[in-house]
Amino acid sequence: MTKKKSPAVNLSTPYNFDVPWEQLMENKDFVKTFLSDVLEEYIVKQRWYGGKSSRLKYIELAEYFRIQQNEEVYYGLILEVNFYEAFYQHYFLPIAFVSDESFAKDDRILPISIQNQEGFIIDAVNLEAFRKVVFERILSALPKDRTRVQYKKSPVFKDCQYESSRFMGMEQSNTSIIYNEKYVLKFYRRIYADRNPDYEMSRFLSEKKDFKNTPAYLGSVQIKDQENTNITIALMNELVPNDGDAWDYMLKELHKVFSNLEYKNIRIDRLPRTELFLRLDIRDIPPQIIDWVGLNIFTKIQTLAKRTAEMHIALGSEFEDTAFTPTRFNGDYTVWLKNRLLYQFQNRLNAVENNLHKLDGLALELANEFLEKKNEIRKRFVNFDWTKLKGERLRVHGDYHLGQILVKDDDFYILDFEGEPESTIRDRKVKQPPLKDVAGLFRSFHYAIYATIFNNQEKYKQEQEALFEAGEILYQYFIGLFLGTYIVEIQDANINIGYQQERVFLLKYSLLEKAVYELGYELNSRPRWAVIPLKGISNIINH
């Protein structure tokens, strides 16, 4: 299907439509003009638009629905963006009509005259009146909403009224609104024909399992599409007062650690090492390492291990809701896993071959090793034998890293359960070994160590290679201490994650999978950092 491009729109001349705003979306001329002449130019400039690396072919209106209260009417549009590369994505865009010149000067989508009243169509999230309507519709939601646009709320969301709303800040893929400085409503921009895992996991953990270390679920907005499928449009949670995320926290702490090499005159070549995946207690960490690193970061890692275990215990202790009941490894899972990983691996091999010219030093050396050992890596992925695995698979976070964790005083709060951005919505709901989340966090530790070295190189007197060596030693203690705490908690709660040999196999497998996944992003976005996933891959295949 090919559509002719219309000439570019002159945004200074308003279009005139002789229908009331409440009937505008039924006007075929308006819809055609809006989709082909206007939105194609508007959407590609938005931060939340995820199709920037593909060529937009045309936009169709998949669904539209009203978001209204009394006389106030706004439209929610679900746009199907089709690409020349023969795939499509769906996006949510709420729109409002404003006639006041002072509104949304930077966010005008289209100047328009409706029944001779001049004004602008804007993204409705910029309008306080719209944000208030959404808040009040959730707050007044009925227990059994059978309408097409469904507002849902938790029993704990009550006894309040709208006071204020503001944007949360510089988000990429979604738009979050803070209400009354107490609640957060996340509008999903890229949407899927299914309930969002973020909604499912948030509601399950806070309502059914009373897991305290995630923001409490308060409500949601969903619509039923033409096929009667539930689509999650927005999710409301409590706002957890916090000191920032664990990624920024870790970078600050690690900068102190690397600065200590000089302040304390520490010889990197004399630092004692530990074995990879050896479970450690804080008492097992040698005095020389404590002298260099201090105790604070190690006690924080123990707390984070405890919270991660508690999340998996909540997710692994459900026996009624089949979406959350633990399940065994089987042949179907194995076929799904191998197909997915072999496709991704081939994609990354091509990326490395095409980007070798951008690499030098250790990164180039490791990239060549990656290419030389491609058959060995492929074999690692193929050698997944489910018959030897005795542990269970659970619903997991799926995209677990330091940026998804908030720090508050000496504690951690886990958020953003949407899953891995590259995965389909169905793949994100597949039950996985909980050690997949643990491996994601370990890769995040590895990233934080290397990011600290890259970001502060001129401040450290040691050569980069020596800093990398110190970082690898530190990384092994981090994961040993994390595992020492995590496994005790998990086993005490009778969650079955397999025996020791199985756990090490699953960790290595998941770490390799995650590092291969990361490699694509780094080669495309910042080749200098490709050394981080390449080093992660090298650690596993040479261990």
Side-chain angles (χ1 to χ4, degrees):
M1 182 177 179
T2 313
K3 297 204 174 177
K4 273 197 273 195
K5 284 265 186 185
S6 305
V9 171
N10 178 358
L11 286 180
S12 61
T13 313
Y15 282 82
N16 188 46
F17 291 95
D18 194 24
V19 289
W21 162 250
E22 291 77 13
Q23 293 166 25
L24 190 62
M25 291 307 299
E26 286 140 45
N27 183 297
K28 287 181 180 162
D29 289 340
F30 167 75
V31 171
K32 183 172 176 293
T33 301
F34 193 54
L35 293 177
S36 59
D37 296 1
V38 180
L39 279 183
E40 287 184 18
E41 289 194 19
Y42 174 79
I43 201 169
V44 294
K45 296 174 186 160
Q46 303 312 303
R47 269 205 315 274
W48 41 261
Y49 176 62
K52 293 183 174 71
S53 59
S54 302
R55 288 186 308 140
L56 190 154
K57 195 172 183 183
Y58 60 86
I59 297 176
E60 286 189 316
L61 183 63
E63 306 266 349
Y64 73 89
F65 51 94
R66 290 182 174 199
I67 297 171
Q68 66 184 91
Q69 183 170 254
N70 305 327
E71 301 303 306
E72 280 185 83
V73 175
Y74 306 95
Y75 287 108
L77 311 184
I78 295 181
L79 306 172
E80 184 178 292
V81 179
N82 289 269
F83 298 98
Y84 279 98
E85 291 87 344
F87 72 100
Y88 59 84
Q89 294 175 341
H90 285 116
Y91 289 92
F92 169 60
L93 177 68
I95 58 169
F97 172 68
V98 294
S99 53
D100 189 326
E101 277 281 332
S102 64
F103 273 126
K105 286 186 177 171
D106 301 326
D107 290 288
R108 293 170 182 171
I109 302 175
L110 175 70
I112 191 169
S113 170
I114 297 177
Q115 292 184 316
N116 295 318
Q117 183 179 24
E118 290 197 6
F120 301 92
I121 287 180
I122 65 168
D123 183 333
V125 296
N126 294 294
L127 201 60
E128 186 177 17
F130 168 77
R131 302 196 297 257
K132 183 180 179 191
V133 163
V134 175
F135 180 89
E136 289 178 343
R137 290 300 310 262
I138 293 173
L139 188 60
S140 61
L142 300 169
K144 291 206 172 2
D145 189 346
R146 297 275 180 255
T147 53
R148 186 161 170 246
V149 184
Q150 298 184 350
Y151 300 90
K152 298 179 184 295
K153 73 163 181 170
S154 162
V156 300
F157 188 41
K158 57 184 182 182
D159 302 331
C160 68
Q161 59 187 33
Y162 178 86
E163 293 164 18
S164 64
S165 60
R166 63 178 175 86
F167 286 105
M168 190 171 199
M170 294 289 288
E171 279 186 292
Q172 296 300 318
S173 53
N174 299 307
T175 304
S176 289
I177 306 296
I178 293 179
Y179 286 100
N180 297 5
E181 300 302 318
K182 286 183 189 170
Y183 318 111
V184 181
L185 182 78
K186 181 194 293 182
F187 284 107
Y188 297 104
R189 293 304 198 151
R190 172 105 190 260
I191 56 165
Y192 305 89
D194 201 350
R195 285 194 177 94
N196 195 302
D198 201 13
Y199 158 75
E200 291 181 335
M201 296 275 282
S202 172
R203 188 170 183 183
F204 176 81
L205 284 170
S206 70
E207 279 199 344
K208 204 153 192 192
K209 295 296 170 182
D210 199 26
F211 177 57
K212 298 294 187 200
N213 286 75
T214 192
Y217 166 80
L218 298 176
S220 63
V221 184
Q222 300 183 25
I223 72 141
K224 281 193 180 293
D225 69 7
Q226 288 158 350
E227 275 83 49
N228 218 25
T229 304
N230 263 305
I231 296 175
T232 314
I233 297 297
L235 174 69
M236 185 177 268
N237 293 90
E238 70 168 337
L239 176 67
V240 174
N242 63 83
D243 311 317
D245 66 35
W247 171 258
D248 287 338
Y249 172 82
M250 191 64 95
L251 290 186
K252 287 188 199 108
E253 291 300 311
L254 285 168
H255 178 46
K256 294 178 204 165
V257 169
F258 281 105
S259 299
N260 279 346
L261 289 170
E262 185 181 349
Y263 298 149
K264 298 192 172 186
N265 203 19
I266 284 162
R267 288 273 304 268
I268 294 168
D269 58 345
R270 291 192 184 167
L271 286 170
R273 295 165 182 267
T274 184
E275 193 185 326
L276 196 61
F277 307 124
L278 185 69
R279 287 160 56 186
L280 301 173
D281 186 75
I282 213 150
R283 288 164 296 200
D284 301 323
I285 298 176
Q288 300 98 301
I289 299 293
I290 299 287
D291 180 48
W292 165 36
V293 178
L295 268 177
N296 181 48
I297 202 165
F298 287 126
T299 56
K300 288 291 194 302
I301 281 174
Q302 282 187 308
T303 304
L304 187 51
K306 196 168 188 298
R307 297 297 174 242
T308 305
E310 287 165 353
M311 172 179 72
H312 287 149
I313 290 162
L315 291 166
S317 57
E318 175 59 28
F319 304 103
E320 291 171 11
D321 183 347
T322 52
F324 286 92
T325 49
T327 191
R328 298 280 181 188
F329 291 94
N330 58 21
D332 288 348
Y333 173 76
T334 307
V335 170
W336 170 83
L337 183 72
K338 289 179 184 178
N339 284 343
R340 196 162 159 266
L341 296 191
L342 291 175
Y343 172 79
Q344 189 180 85
F345 180 59
Q346 190 56 50
N347 175 289
R348 299 314 192 251
L349 270 178
N350 297 341
V352 171
E353 285 168 349
N354 295 335
N355 289 281
L356 270 180
H357 64 280
K358 297 179 186 173
L359 306 177
D360 56 26
L362 182 61
L364 183 59
E365 192 185 309
L366 291 170
N368 282 319
E369 179 189 45
F370 177 76
L371 294 174
E372 282 160 24
K373 296 194 174 178
K374 64 184 177 188
N375 291 333
E376 185 187 330
I377 299 169
R378 192 182 282 111
K379 197 173 167 192
R380 293 262 187 144
F381 286 139
V382 171
N383 282 354
F384 189 93
D385 184 356
W386 70 272
T387 62
K388 292 181 179 171
L389 301 175
K390 305 292 178 239
E392 291 181 317
R393 296 183 286 128
L394 320 171
R395 279 290 290 271
V396 296
H397 185 287
D399 189 29
Y400 195 45
H401 56 78
L402 292 164
Q404 311 280 42
I405 300 164
L406 295 177
V407 180
K408 175 72 177 103
D409 301 326
D410 290 324
D411 211 345
F412 297 97
Y413 292 81
I414 301 163
L415 56 154
D416 287 338
F417 295 93
E418 273 193 84
E420 206 173 69
E422 257 185 48
S423 299
T424 66
I425 201 79
R426 191 169 292 172
D427 284 354
R428 296 181 200 192
K429 299 184 184 195
V430 170
K431 289 165 188 169
Q432 303 266 24
L435 288 168
K436 181 181 166 73
D437 278 347
V438 173
L441 200 52
F442 287 178
R443 291 294 313 133
S444 201
F445 289 162
H446 201 238
Y447 255 80
I449 287 165
Y450 277 76
T452 304
I453 295 168
F454 284 141
N455 293 341
N456 301 284
Q457 206 143 0
E458 70 292 344
K459 296 174 188 163
Y460 308 138
K461 67 168 192 177
Q462 294 82 1
E463 292 292 316
Q464 189 180 73
E465 297 297 315
L467 292 167
F468 287 169
E469 188 188 341
E472 289 294 331
I473 293 168
L474 184 60
Y475 172 66
Q476 293 188 353
Y477 283 107
F478 278 6
I479 68 176
L481 186 63
F482 187 100
L483 286 173
T485 305
Y486 175 84
I487 289 168
V488 168
E489 294 281 330
I490 284 283
Q491 289 179 334
D492 283 352
N494 292 318
I495 301 291
N496 183 357
I497 59 167
Y499 48 92
Q500 168 67 7
Q501 200 179 341
E502 177 178 338
R503 291 195 298 266
V504 171
F505 168 77
L506 286 170
L507 271 174
K508 283 184 176 178
Y509 196 95
S510 300
L511 283 164
L512 188 59
E513 175 192 347
K514 188 70 176 171
V516 166
Y517 171 81
E518 293 159 355
L519 190 51
Y521 176 81
E522 298 307 349
L523 287 169
N524 291 325
S525 306
R526 43 185 188 189
R528 184 166 154 260
W529 286 45
V531 70
I532 308 176
L534 284 166
K535 181 65 179 151
I537 293 164
S538 180
N539 284 351
I540 294 299
I541 59 178
N542 293 314
H543 180 68

